[in-house]
Amino acid sequence: MIDLRSDTVTKPTAEMRRAMAKAEVGDDVYAEDPTVNLLQQKAADIFGKEAALFVPTGSMGNQIAVKLHTKPGDEIIIEERGHIFNYEMGTPSVVAGVLIRPVKSASGSGILTWAEIESALHINQPYYACPTGLICLENSHNLAGGTVMTAEQCAEICDRAHALDLPVHLDGARIFNASTALNESVAELSKNCDSVQFCLSKGLGAPVGSMLLGKRDFIEEARVWRKRLGGGMRQVGVLAAAGLIALEETPKILNVDHENARMLAEGVANLKGVLIDAERVATNIVIFNISDANLSSSEICAKLKEHGILASPFGNSIRMVTHYDVSRKDVETTLRALKKIIQQF
Ligand code: TLP
């Protein structure tokens, strides 16, 4: 199968499996797993943050951050297609007791401007509005099609937010993709953010795991919440060993996924009934609208499956994500199949 549903489907490389087999381990609930400790130190160094915590999933990393930055009854501001709002099962309201204030990005890029954020803030309106407690950003922006936010855009939002005493959390599930696309370090892309979550288990290829980064006190508190949420794992160095390779090796080859995604986008842009601005595809996510095709997104995905290709239907759109288990040849095969399916009907 050519699996374009997500970059979460990557299988660990042979090098990762070897490292997993010989990983030194200890009990990570006691903070005694040397491989986890090494991964946490490496991640903190790369991002220029005080400390890092290995968490089982990106969702848990994000939700611990939301919990720690807010108090019940607060509101968090996020772009309306943000993952924390749309795909984390309402956890902000369940765990942190906060309300989400989704904000539209007028440019359609998913990257909010300060003016857009500012118009949604609730500051000093104590008796009738939920106070804004946190701003959540996402880079790259998944549902906006892997779009990227520059270091300057992020820094401006952080500066303005901090001037109002508001913290900023960055969902950087795919920040290494953004870093590759912008030729900018992940440290710069997340410089003034109070916390950052990034995934080892997406395009970086590790089988499991995400990292939450921030100040030392924040990470100490995050460790308590990780345990509360059932994420205190034991000899988890076997996973961290794969994470170390994902962190050190895979960023070097993410450009290949981006080239494949651009080729895919340019190919689908030529198909009848398909709408996509291929120029906007900067990373590894390709989302195209098929409202004008004669089949629904689910029907197209079902037919693609008959050709051995997996993709995700999202309403009137289809999402395809490239990763290291998808080759240029796989992209050509996918384009041929799509052409056949769409033009047949
Ligand atoms: N994204 C998944 C699905 O949940 C949609 C995917 O296939 O893209 N932040 C962002 C921006 C994400 O895209 C995801 C996962 C997460 C957080 C959550 O990570 P996990 O799946 O590890 O909880």
Side-chain angles (χ1 to χ4, degrees):
M1 286 305 234
I2 299 171
D3 197 343
L4 293 158
R5 286 172 302 171
S6 183
D7 46 10
T8 57
V9 302
T10 41
K11 304 264 169 44
T13 61
E15 194 188 356
M16 287 180 196
R17 287 182 190 270
R18 275 195 300 274
M20 291 169 82
K22 56 175 206 245
E24 261 189 80
V25 295
D27 191 326
D28 185 45
V29 170
Y30 298 142
E32 284 174 4
D33 187 299
T35 313
V36 172
N37 291 342
L38 180 62
L39 173 63
Q40 290 174 165
Q41 192 53 55
K42 279 244 152 90
D45 291 347
I46 290 172
F47 279 77
K49 299 283 184 207
E50 283 182 18
L53 185 72
F54 183 71
V55 286
T57 63
S59 302
M60 189 185 282
N62 283 337
Q63 295 305 329
I64 291 174
V66 170
K67 172 70 198 163
L68 291 185
H69 288 306
T70 59
K71 50 187 189 323
D74 280 356
E75 218 167 62
I76 66 173
I77 291 187
I78 188 167
E79 198 275 334
E80 65 179 1
R81 288 165 293 173
H83 194 276
I84 290 174
F85 176 39
N86 292 281
Y87 289 101
E88 297 189 14
M89 322 216 29
T91 314
S93 61
V94 178
V95 171
V98 296
L99 221 67
I100 291 192
R101 169 78 45 189
V103 178
K104 199 176 181 63
S105 87
S107 67
S109 67
I111 310 303
L112 291 176
T113 62
W114 176 255
E116 287 164 341
I117 292 172
E118 195 174 31
S119 66
L121 292 175
H122 289 154
I123 308 261
N124 296 328
Q125 301 171 6
Y127 299 114
Y128 49 93
C130 291
T132 307
L134 174 67
I135 295 168
C136 290
L137 305 175
E138 189 172 313
N139 197 16
S140 66
H141 193 305
N142 183 349
L143 266 286
T147 50
V148 292
M149 178 171 42
T150 64
E152 292 72 30
Q153 287 169 319
C154 184
E156 192 203 345
I157 292 172
C158 289
D159 289 349
R160 305 279 203 134
H162 292 160
L164 298 169
D165 266 343
L166 281 175
V168 177
H169 170 67
L170 175 62
D171 177 354
R174 296 183 178 83
I175 195 164
F176 284 91
N177 293 89
S179 160
T180 300
L182 292 163
N183 197 20
E184 182 71 276
S185 70
V186 291
E188 279 301 312
L189 290 179
S190 59
K191 198 166 171 191
N192 294 322
C193 296
D194 300 272
S195 54
V196 189
Q197 178 279 123
F198 79 90
C199 293
L200 296 159
S201 64
K202 300 208 161 52
L204 297 187
V208 178
S210 281
M211 307 301 296
L212 180 62
L213 302 113
K215 289 229 174 347
R216 198 166 301 286
D217 291 358
F218 173 90
I219 293 300
E220 273 317 304
E221 209 34 36
R223 181 176 282 282
V224 173
W225 273 94
R226 183 184 69 174
K227 187 72 172 70
R228 267 190 193 124
L229 295 173
M233 299 185 285
R234 304 292 177 174
Q235 284 71 32
V236 74
V238 287
L239 298 179
L244 274 165
I245 290 165
L247 185 57
E248 285 166 350
E249 300 303 323
T250 322
K252 299 174 198 160
I253 54 168
L254 288 177
N255 62 311
V256 176
D257 300 343
H258 297 184
E259 284 155 23
N260 286 338
R262 181 56 86 90
M263 180 182 160
L264 184 60
E266 283 167 0
V268 294
N270 289 327
L271 298 177
K272 204 175 74 199
V274 171
L275 241 166
I276 182 172
D277 182 355
E279 288 291 308
R280 259 196 177 175
V281 175
T283 58
N284 66 330
I285 299 181
V286 181
I287 299 181
F288 50 96
N289 185 291
I290 49 80
S291 307
D292 293 338
N294 292 327
L295 292 169
S296 72
S297 57
S298 312
E299 285 167 335
I300 293 174
C301 289
K303 297 215 169 284
L304 278 169
K305 196 169 177 185
E306 290 166 16
H307 285 78
I309 298 157
L310 300 175
S312 306
F314 279 92
N316 283 338
S317 296
I318 293 176
R319 186 184 76 156
M320 293 183 169
V321 186
T322 57
H323 49 79
Y324 66 51
D325 287 328
V326 172
S327 66
R328 192 182 166 85
K329 203 162 145 270
D330 292 336
V331 171
E332 287 164 0
T333 308
T334 303
L335 285 171
R336 269 198 305 277
L338 258 179
K339 193 169 177 188
K340 222 181 201 170
I341 294 164
I342 292 186
Q343 289 182 351
Q344 230 170 37
F345 289 88

